[in-house]
Amino acid sequence: MAQRNRRGGRRKKSGAAGFLLGILFVMAVLAGGAAWLILTPYGPDSETFVNIPPGSSVSAIGRRLESAGIVRSRFAFDLLRWVHRATLEAGMYRFDHPEPVTVVYARIARGDVFTKTLIVPEGANVFDIAARAEQAGFCSRQQFLDAAVSQSALISGLDPDAASLEGYLFPDTYRFSPTVTAAQIVAAMVRRFRQVAAQLGLSENVHQIVTLASLVERETAVDADRPLVASVFENRLAKGMPLRTDPSVIYGLELKGQWRGTIYESDLSRDTPYNTYLHAGLPPGPVANAGIASLRAAMDPAKTNYLYFVAAGLDAQGQSRFASTLDEHNRNVEIYRKAQKKAGGR
């Protein structure tokens, strides 16, 4: 009897061991399968975009990735989220080759979103920027122009009289999601302007300073000349003399859709509010978007007696020429013309 009990005990132990081995085998198979799902590269061979809206749940993100063919299984993505507990970032993501789901997860966790670049050079006006935004594929030219007017309240704290965001779309290199709107683009540029304004301490007479800076920016690309050009405008304003600056005339023509790409003598007599040959004082508002150097120059012009200048950009020798009298200015103009003629002869 005792012998039979011992044999039964051995059978029970053998059965328990087999069950345990079965569980270990299943676990090994599951672990191997999970490792295969997670570590084996999978994904598209051509460019594929996936947009993850703000507030998306992990399961929703996994479904989007699986549906787009980025991951083999959304459950593998869910498993990584359960392990790592990272915050996943919304945005547009670009995939163009197979990757392990661990790499896909890491990219979304660090917010490695796909962006396109919009370069706004110093001196670009709203029409120039609108054309660049359209060329980059962000929005149409008209959508950008409309946003620059409809969103003018963005700058009302600094310039309550601003009719548009002209002058406050700070020149810089911007990177945006392909899904960005025109309103979001101009908002980003205004934020950058506010940062620069705070850096420079620009908080008073903002409309006048930004308008003056825009003229300086369009008249010269030489940093050393900017405070001198600003001094010419300041001195003429103090004497009640017309500024007679072509960039302002051109801007008035652009607003009316009459700009022909080249300024003609007849354009100087076209009566727009921006024609500084016909109207004394500053134009109604900025004519371009100035960089830091021009803003500084407008805030602190050089102390001179200059009333005239021939800008470096118009001089074949690349030299600006300043004068305090009309006779001196006429001589500078003659020097400029001879240099131009000589340059053309070569």
Side-chain angles (χ1 to χ4, degrees):
M1 186 71 175
Q3 189 175 3
R4 286 198 299 270
N5 288 339
R6 283 196 298 271
R7 285 198 298 267
R10 284 196 294 271
R11 284 197 297 270
K12 289 179 181 179
K13 290 179 181 178
S14 175
F19 179 72
L20 180 60
L21 287 174
I23 291 177
L24 290 176
F25 176 77
V26 171
M27 290 178 64
V29 170
L30 291 175
W36 179 75
L37 285 175
I38 292 172
L39 300 177
T40 304
Y42 183 83
D45 293 318
S46 58
E47 189 175 62
T48 303
F49 293 94
V50 177
N51 184 42
I52 298 177
S56 296
S57 66
V58 177
S59 59
I61 295 173
R63 285 195 299 271
R64 280 179 176 267
L65 294 171
E66 184 182 68
S67 176
I70 307 303
V71 299
R72 184 177 280 107
S73 169
R74 64 183 183 273
F75 299 114
F77 190 85
D78 290 346
L79 178 60
L80 284 176
R81 175 68 175 87
W82 182 79
V83 172
H84 293 288
R85 299 289 178 180
T87 299
L88 302 180
E89 303 292 335
M92 181 73 73
Y93 291 86
R94 174 181 176 273
F95 304 93
D96 62 2
H97 63 277
E99 295 176 319
V101 69
T102 51
V103 175
V104 174
Y105 180 89
R107 286 183 57 188
I108 298 175
R110 68 173 178 265
D112 184 19
V113 297
F114 176 75
T115 59
K116 293 195 295 184
T117 301
L118 177 61
I119 299 175
V120 180
E122 295 176 348
N125 64 27
V126 68
F127 302 103
D128 302 325
I129 302 173
R132 285 172 174 265
E134 183 174 72
Q135 185 177 21
F138 289 114
C139 60
S140 72
R141 177 180 181 276
Q142 192 58 50
Q143 285 173 328
F144 188 92
L145 294 176
D146 291 343
V149 173
S150 65
Q151 302 297 311
S152 59
L154 291 172
I155 204 66
S156 60
L158 291 176
D159 185 356
D161 299 324
S164 80
L165 295 176
E166 186 72 89
Y168 302 101
L169 304 171
F170 193 76
D172 207 341
T173 297
Y174 296 91
R175 291 177 175 82
F176 298 113
S177 164
T179 60
V180 72
T181 65
Q184 291 169 331
I185 293 175
V186 299
M189 293 180 179
V190 171
R191 282 196 300 272
R192 183 72 182 100
F193 174 86
R194 286 183 173 277
Q195 292 172 352
V196 172
Q199 173 187 334
L200 297 176
L202 174 57
S203 59
E204 298 180 353
N205 301 318
V206 175
H207 182 85
Q208 292 84 351
I209 289 172
V210 172
T211 300
L212 178 59
S214 73
L215 297 177
V216 172
E217 189 68 70
R218 291 301 290 251
E219 284 285 11
T220 181
V222 181
D223 282 349
D225 286 348
R226 299 184 200 275
L228 297 174
V229 172
S231 76
V232 171
F233 290 141
E234 285 281 281
N235 292 339
R236 292 181 74 92
L237 289 170
K239 292 179 177 291
M241 301 172 64
L243 297 184
R244 297 173 66 86
T245 173
D246 290 356
S248 185
V249 174
I250 292 170
Y251 190 75
L253 296 173
E254 284 190 287
L255 285 176
K256 297 182 71 173
Q258 297 176 349
W259 172 236
R260 293 172 284 179
T262 300
I263 192 164
Y264 297 92
E265 190 70 27
S266 60
D267 293 328
L268 303 182
S269 60
R270 290 179 182 269
D271 191 2
T272 77
Y274 286 83
N275 190 328
T276 50
Y277 284 78
L278 301 179
H279 304 288
L282 286 168
V287 303
N289 296 277
I292 290 179
S294 291
L295 288 168
R296 281 201 181 107
M299 293 174 68
D300 187 23
K303 303 297 186 273
T304 73
N305 294 319
Y306 295 144
L307 294 171
Y308 308 91
F309 70 93
V310 177
L314 299 178
D315 190 281
Q317 298 175 343
Q319 177 182 352
S320 296
R321 302 179 186 277
F322 297 88
S324 301
T325 67
L326 183 58
D327 287 342
E328 185 182 1
H329 176 63
N330 287 336
R331 288 195 294 273
N332 287 339
V333 171
E334 186 61 28
I335 292 172
Y336 148 71
R337 287 174 176 166
K338 288 180 179 178
Q340 288 288 91
K341 184 177 181 180
K342 185 177 180 180
R346 290 199 299 271

Coordinates of all heavy atoms in Angstrom, one line a residue, residues 278-345:
L278 N 5.7 113.3 -52.3 CA 4.6 114.2 -52.3 C 4.2 114.5 -50.9 O 3.6 115.6 -50.7 CB 3.4 113.6 -53.1 CG 3.6 113.2 -54.5 CD1 2.4 112.6 -55.1 CD2 4.1 114.4 -55.3
H279 N 4.4 113.6 -49.9 CA 3.9 113.9 -48.6 C 5.1 113.9 -47.6 O 5.9 113.0 -47.6 CB 2.9 112.8 -48.2 CG 1.8 112.6 -49.1 ND1 0.8 113.5 -49.2 CD2 1.5 111.7 -50.1 CE1 -0.1 113.2 -50.1 NE2 0.3 112.0 -50.7
A280 N 5.1 114.9 -46.8 CA 6.2 115.0 -45.8 C 5.9 114.0 -44.6 O 4.7 113.6 -44.5 CB 6.2 116.4 -45.2
G281 N 6.9 113.8 -43.8 CA 6.7 112.9 -42.7 C 6.9 111.4 -43.0 O 7.2 111.1 -44.2
L282 N 6.8 110.6 -42.0 CA 6.9 109.2 -42.3 C 5.7 108.6 -43.0 O 4.6 109.2 -43.0 CB 7.0 108.4 -40.9 CG 8.3 108.5 -40.1 CD1 8.1 108.0 -38.7 CD2 9.4 107.7 -40.9
P283 N 5.8 107.6 -43.7 CA 4.7 106.9 -44.4 C 3.7 106.4 -43.3 O 4.1 106.4 -42.1 CB 5.3 105.8 -45.2 CG 6.6 105.5 -44.6 CD 7.1 106.8 -44.0
P284 N 2.5 106.0 -43.7 CA 1.5 105.6 -42.7 C 1.9 104.4 -41.8 O 1.4 104.3 -40.7 CB 0.3 105.2 -43.5 CG 0.5 106.0 -44.8 CD 1.9 106.1 -45.0
G285 N 2.8 103.6 -42.3 CA 3.3 102.4 -41.6 C 4.5 101.8 -42.2 O 5.0 102.3 -43.2
P286 N 5.0 100.7 -41.6 CA 6.2 100.1 -42.2 C 6.0 99.6 -43.6 O 4.9 99.3 -44.0 CB 6.4 98.9 -41.2 CG 5.6 99.2 -40.0 CD 4.5 100.1 -40.4
V287 N 7.1 99.6 -44.3 CA 7.0 99.2 -45.7 C 7.8 97.8 -45.9 O 7.8 97.3 -47.0 CB 7.7 100.2 -46.7 CG1 6.9 101.6 -46.5 CG2 9.1 100.4 -46.4
A288 N 8.3 97.3 -44.8 CA 9.0 96.0 -44.9 C 9.3 95.6 -43.5 O 8.8 96.2 -42.5 CB 10.4 96.2 -45.6
N289 N 9.9 94.4 -43.3 CA 10.2 93.9 -42.0 C 11.7 93.9 -41.7 O 12.5 93.3 -42.4 CB 9.7 92.4 -41.9 CG 8.2 92.4 -42.1 OD1 7.4 92.6 -41.1 ND2 7.7 92.2 -43.3
A290 N 12.0 94.8 -40.8 CA 13.4 95.1 -40.5 C 14.1 94.0 -39.6 O 13.4 93.4 -38.7 CB 13.6 96.5 -39.9
G291 N 15.4 93.9 -39.7 CA 16.2 93.0 -38.8 C 16.6 93.8 -37.6 O 16.3 95.0 -37.5
I292 N 17.4 93.2 -36.8 CA 17.9 93.8 -35.5 C 18.7 95.0 -35.8 O 18.5 96.1 -35.1 CB 18.7 92.8 -34.7 CG1 17.7 91.7 -34.2 CG2 19.4 93.5 -33.5 CD1 18.4 90.6 -33.3
A293 N 19.6 95.0 -36.7 CA 20.5 96.1 -37.0 C 19.8 97.4 -37.4 O 20.1 98.5 -36.9 CB 21.5 95.8 -38.1
S294 N 18.7 97.3 -38.2 CA 18.0 98.4 -38.6 C 17.1 98.9 -37.5 O 16.8 100.1 -37.3 CB 17.1 98.1 -39.8 OG 17.9 97.9 -41.0
L295 N 16.5 98.0 -36.7 CA 15.8 98.4 -35.5 C 16.6 99.2 -34.5 O 16.2 100.2 -34.0 CB 15.1 97.2 -34.8 CG 14.0 96.5 -35.6 CD1 13.7 95.2 -34.9 CD2 12.7 97.4 -35.6
R296 N 17.8 98.7 -34.3 CA 18.7 99.5 -33.4 C 19.1 100.9 -34.0 O 19.1 101.8 -33.2 CB 20.1 98.7 -33.3 CG 20.0 97.5 -32.3 CD 21.4 97.1 -31.8 NE 21.4 96.0 -30.9 CZ 21.8 94.8 -31.2 NH1 22.2 94.5 -32.4 NH2 21.7 93.8 -30.3
A297 N 19.3 100.9 -35.3 CA 19.6 102.2 -35.9 C 18.4 103.2 -35.8 O 18.6 104.4 -35.5 CB 20.0 102.0 -37.4
A298 N 17.2 102.7 -36.0 CA 16.1 103.6 -35.8 C 15.9 104.0 -34.4 O 15.4 105.1 -34.1 CB 14.8 102.8 -36.3
M299 N 16.2 103.2 -33.4 CA 16.1 103.5 -32.0 C 17.2 104.5 -31.6 O 16.9 105.4 -30.7 CB 16.2 102.3 -31.2 CG 15.0 101.3 -31.3 SD 15.2 99.8 -30.4 CE 15.1 100.4 -28.7
D300 N 18.3 104.5 -32.3 CA 19.4 105.3 -31.9 C 20.2 105.8 -33.1 O 21.3 105.3 -33.4 CB 20.4 104.6 -30.9 CG 21.5 105.5 -30.3 OD1 21.3 106.7 -30.3 OD2 22.5 104.9 -29.9
P301 N 19.6 106.7 -33.9 CA 20.3 107.2 -35.1 C 21.6 107.9 -34.8 O 21.8 108.4 -33.7 CB 19.3 108.1 -35.8 CG 18.0 107.8 -35.1 CD 18.3 107.3 -33.8
A302 N 22.6 107.9 -35.7 CA 23.8 108.6 -35.5 C 23.5 110.1 -35.4 O 22.5 110.6 -35.9 CB 24.8 108.3 -36.7
K303 N 24.4 110.8 -34.7 CA 24.2 112.3 -34.6 C 25.0 113.0 -35.7 O 26.2 113.0 -35.7 CB 24.7 112.8 -33.3 CG 24.0 112.1 -32.1 CD 22.5 112.5 -32.1 CE 21.9 111.9 -30.8 NZ 21.4 110.5 -31.0
T304 N 24.3 113.4 -36.8 CA 25.0 114.0 -37.9 C 24.2 115.2 -38.4 O 23.1 115.5 -37.9 CB 25.1 113.0 -39.1 OG1 23.8 112.9 -39.7 CG2 25.6 111.7 -38.7
N305 N 24.7 115.9 -39.4 CA 24.0 117.0 -40.1 C 23.6 116.6 -41.5 O 23.1 117.4 -42.3 CB 24.9 118.2 -40.2 CG 25.2 118.8 -38.8 OD1 24.3 118.9 -38.0 ND2 26.5 119.3 -38.6
Y306 N 23.7 115.3 -41.8 CA 23.4 114.8 -43.1 C 21.9 114.9 -43.4 O 21.0 114.7 -42.6 CB 23.8 113.3 -43.3 CG 25.3 113.1 -43.2 CD1 25.7 111.9 -42.5 CD2 26.2 113.9 -43.7 CE1 27.1 111.6 -42.4 CE2 27.6 113.7 -43.6 CZ 28.0 112.5 -42.9 OH 29.3 112.3 -42.8
L307 N 21.7 115.3 -44.7 CA 20.3 115.4 -45.2 C 20.1 114.6 -46.5 O 18.9 114.5 -46.9 CB 19.9 116.9 -45.5 CG 19.9 117.8 -44.2 CD1 19.7 119.3 -44.7 CD2 18.7 117.4 -43.3
Y308 N 21.2 114.1 -47.0 CA 21.1 113.4 -48.3 C 22.0 112.2 -48.2 O 23.0 112.2 -47.5 CB 21.5 114.3 -49.5 CG 20.8 115.6 -49.5 CD1 21.3 116.7 -48.9 CD2 19.6 115.8 -50.3 CE1 20.7 118.0 -49.0 CE2 19.0 117.0 -50.3 CZ 19.5 118.1 -49.7 OH 18.9 119.3 -49.7
F309 N 21.8 111.2 -49.1 CA 22.7 110.1 -49.2 C 22.4 109.4 -50.5 O 21.3 109.4 -51.1 CB 22.6 109.1 -48.1 CG 21.3 108.3 -48.0 CD1 21.3 107.0 -48.6 CD2 20.2 108.8 -47.4 CE1 20.1 106.3 -48.6 CE2 19.0 108.1 -47.3 CZ 19.0 106.8 -47.9
V310 N 23.5 108.8 -51.0 CA 23.4 107.8 -52.2 C 23.8 106.5 -51.6 O 24.9 106.3 -51.1 CB 24.4 108.2 -53.3 CG1 24.4 107.2 -54.4 CG2 24.1 109.6 -53.8
A311 N 22.9 105.6 -51.6 CA 23.0 104.3 -50.9 C 24.1 103.4 -51.6 O 24.3 103.5 -52.8 CB 21.7 103.5 -50.8
A312 N 24.8 102.6 -50.8 CA 25.8 101.7 -51.3 C 25.3 100.8 -52.3 O 26.0 100.5 -53.3 CB 26.4 100.9 -50.1
G313 N 24.0 100.4 -52.2 CA 23.5 99.5 -53.2 C 23.3 100.0 -54.6 O 23.2 99.3 -55.5
L314 N 23.4 101.4 -54.6 CA 23.3 102.0 -55.9 C 24.6 102.5 -56.5 O 24.7 103.0 -57.6 CB 22.4 103.3 -55.8 CG 20.9 103.0 -55.4 CD1 20.2 104.3 -55.2 CD2 20.2 102.1 -56.4
D315 N 25.7 102.3 -55.7 CA 27.0 102.8 -56.1 C 27.8 101.6 -56.6 O 27.9 100.5 -55.9 CB 27.7 103.4 -54.9 CG 28.9 104.1 -55.3 OD1 30.0 103.5 -55.5 OD2 28.9 105.4 -55.4
A316 N 28.4 101.8 -57.8 CA 29.2 100.7 -58.4 C 30.4 100.3 -57.5 O 30.9 99.2 -57.6 CB 29.7 101.2 -59.7
Q317 N 30.9 101.2 -56.6 CA 32.0 101.0 -55.8 C 31.5 100.4 -54.4 O 32.3 100.2 -53.5 CB 32.8 102.2 -55.6 CG 33.4 102.8 -56.9 CD 34.1 104.1 -56.7 OE1 33.9 104.8 -55.7 NE2 34.9 104.5 -57.6
G318 N 30.2 100.2 -54.2 CA 29.7 99.7 -53.0 C 29.9 100.6 -51.8 O 30.1 100.2 -50.7
Q319 N 29.9 101.9 -52.1 CA 30.1 102.9 -51.0 C 29.0 103.9 -50.9 O 28.5 104.5 -51.9 CB 31.4 103.6 -51.3 CG 31.7 104.7 -50.3 CD 33.0 105.5 -50.7 OE1 33.7 105.1 -51.6 NE2 33.3 106.6 -49.9
S320 N 28.4 104.0 -49.7 CA 27.4 105.0 -49.4 C 28.0 106.4 -49.4 O 29.1 106.5 -48.9 CB 26.6 104.7 -48.1 OG 25.9 103.5 -48.2
R321 N 27.3 107.4 -49.8 CA 27.8 108.8 -49.8 C 26.8 109.7 -49.2 O 25.7 109.7 -49.6 CB 28.2 109.2 -51.3 CG 29.1 108.3 -52.0 CD 29.4 108.8 -53.4 NE 30.3 107.8 -54.1 CZ 31.6 107.8 -54.0 NH1 32.2 108.7 -53.2 NH2 32.3 106.8 -54.6
F322 N 27.2 110.3 -48.1 CA 26.3 111.2 -47.3 C 26.7 112.7 -47.5 O 27.9 113.0 -47.7 CB 26.4 110.8 -45.9 CG 25.9 109.4 -45.6 CD1 26.8 108.3 -45.7 CD2 24.6 109.2 -45.3 CE1 26.4 107.0 -45.4 CE2 24.1 107.9 -45.1 CZ 25.0 106.8 -45.1
A323 N 25.7 113.5 -47.4 CA 26.0 114.9 -47.6 C 25.0 115.8 -46.8 O 23.9 115.4 -46.4 CB 25.8 115.3 -49.1
S324 N 25.5 117.0 -46.4 CA 24.7 117.9 -45.6 C 24.1 119.0 -46.4 O 23.1 119.6 -46.0 CB 25.6 118.6 -44.5 OG 26.2 117.6 -43.7
T325 N 24.6 119.2 -47.7 CA 24.0 120.2 -48.5 C 23.7 119.6 -49.9 O 24.2 118.5 -50.3 CB 25.0 121.4 -48.8 OG1 26.1 120.8 -49.5 CG2 25.5 121.9 -47.5
L326 N 22.8 120.3 -50.6 CA 22.3 119.8 -51.9 C 23.5 119.8 -52.9 O 23.6 118.9 -53.7 CB 21.2 120.6 -52.4 CG 20.6 120.2 -53.7 CD1 20.1 118.7 -53.6 CD2 19.4 121.1 -54.1
D327 N 24.3 120.8 -52.8 CA 25.5 120.9 -53.7 C 26.4 119.7 -53.5 O 26.8 119.1 -54.5 CB 26.3 122.2 -53.5 CG 25.5 123.4 -54.1 OD1 24.6 123.2 -54.9 OD2 25.9 124.5 -53.7
E328 N 26.7 119.4 -52.3 CA 27.5 118.2 -52.0 C 26.8 116.9 -52.5 O 27.5 116.0 -53.0 CB 27.8 118.2 -50.5 CG 28.8 117.1 -50.1 CD 29.0 117.1 -48.6 OE1 28.3 117.9 -47.8 OE2 29.8 116.2 -48.1
H329 N 25.6 116.9 -52.3 CA 24.8 115.7 -52.7 C 24.9 115.5 -54.2 O 25.1 114.4 -54.7 CB 23.4 115.8 -52.2 CG 22.5 114.6 -52.7 ND1 22.7 113.3 -52.4 CD2 21.4 114.6 -53.6 CE1 21.8 112.5 -52.9 NE2 21.0 113.3 -53.7
N330 N 24.7 116.6 -54.9 CA 24.8 116.6 -56.4 C 26.1 116.1 -56.9 O 26.2 115.4 -57.9 CB 24.5 118.0 -57.0 CG 23.0 118.3 -56.8 OD1 22.1 117.4 -56.7 ND2 22.7 119.6 -56.8
R331 N 27.2 116.5 -56.2 CA 28.5 116.0 -56.5 C 28.6 114.5 -56.3 O 29.2 113.8 -57.1 CB 29.6 116.7 -55.7 CG 29.8 118.2 -56.2 CD 31.1 118.8 -55.6 NE 31.1 118.9 -54.1 CZ 30.6 119.9 -53.5 NH1 30.1 121.0 -54.1 NH2 30.6 120.0 -52.2
N332 N 28.0 114.0 -55.2 CA 28.0 112.6 -54.9 C 27.3 111.8 -56.0 O 27.7 110.7 -56.4 CB 27.4 112.3 -53.5 CG 28.4 112.7 -52.4 OD1 29.6 112.9 -52.6 ND2 27.8 113.0 -51.2
V333 N 26.2 112.4 -56.4 CA 25.4 111.8 -57.5 C 26.2 111.7 -58.7 O 26.1 110.6 -59.4 CB 24.1 112.5 -57.7 CG1 23.3 112.0 -58.9 CG2 23.1 112.4 -56.5
E334 N 26.9 112.7 -59.1 CA 27.8 112.7 -60.3 C 28.8 111.7 -60.2 O 29.1 110.9 -61.1 CB 28.4 114.1 -60.5 CG 29.1 114.2 -61.8 CD 28.2 114.0 -63.0 OE1 27.0 114.3 -62.9 OE2 28.8 113.6 -64.1
I335 N 29.4 111.5 -59.0 CA 30.5 110.5 -58.8 C 29.8 109.1 -59.0 O 30.4 108.2 -59.6 CB 31.0 110.6 -57.3 CG1 31.9 111.9 -57.2 CG2 31.9 109.4 -57.0 CD1 32.3 112.2 -55.8
Y336 N 28.6 109.0 -58.4 CA 27.9 107.7 -58.6 C 27.6 107.4 -60.0 O 27.8 106.2 -60.5 CB 26.6 107.8 -57.7 CG 25.5 107.0 -58.3 CD1 25.4 105.6 -58.3 CD2 24.4 107.6 -58.9 CE1 24.4 104.9 -58.8 CE2 23.3 106.9 -59.4 CZ 23.3 105.5 -59.4 OH 22.3 104.8 -59.9
R337 N 27.2 108.4 -60.8 CA 26.9 108.1 -62.2 C 28.1 107.8 -63.0 O 28.1 106.9 -63.9 CB 26.2 109.4 -62.8 CG 24.8 109.6 -62.3 CD 24.2 110.9 -62.8 NE 22.8 111.0 -62.4 CZ 22.1 112.1 -62.4 NH1 22.7 113.2 -62.9 NH2 20.8 112.2 -62.1
K338 N 29.2 108.4 -62.7 CA 30.5 108.1 -63.4 C 30.9 106.7 -63.1 O 31.4 106.0 -64.0 CB 31.5 109.1 -63.0 CG 31.3 110.5 -63.6 CD 32.5 111.4 -63.2 CE 32.2 112.8 -63.9 NZ 33.3 113.8 -63.4
A339 N 30.8 106.3 -61.8 CA 31.2 105.0 -61.4 C 30.3 103.9 -62.1 O 30.8 102.9 -62.5 CB 31.1 104.8 -59.9
Q340 N 29.0 104.2 -62.2 CA 28.1 103.3 -62.9 C 28.4 103.2 -64.3 O 28.4 102.1 -64.9 CB 26.6 103.9 -62.7 CG 26.0 103.7 -61.3 CD 25.7 102.3 -61.0 OE1 26.6 101.6 -60.4 NE2 24.6 101.8 -61.3
K341 N 28.7 104.3 -64.9 CA 29.1 104.3 -66.4 C 30.4 103.5 -66.6 O 30.5 102.7 -67.5 CB 29.3 105.7 -66.9 CG 29.5 105.8 -68.4 CD 29.6 107.3 -68.8 CE 29.8 107.4 -70.3 NZ 29.9 108.8 -70.8
K342 N 31.3 103.7 -65.7 CA 32.6 103.0 -65.8 C 32.4 101.5 -65.6 O 33.0 100.7 -66.3 CB 33.6 103.5 -64.8 CG 35.0 102.9 -64.9 CD 35.9 103.5 -63.9 CE 37.3 102.9 -64.0 NZ 38.2 103.5 -63.0
A343 N 31.6 101.1 -64.7 CA 31.3 99.7 -64.4 C 30.6 99.1 -65.6 O 30.9 98.0 -66.0 CB 30.4 99.6 -63.2
G344 N 29.7 99.8 -66.2 CA 29.0 99.3 -67.4 C 29.9 99.2 -68.6 O 29.7 98.2 -69.4
G345 N 30.9 100.0 -68.7 CA 31.9 99.9 -69.8 C 32.7 98.7 -69.7 O 33.2 98.2 -70.7

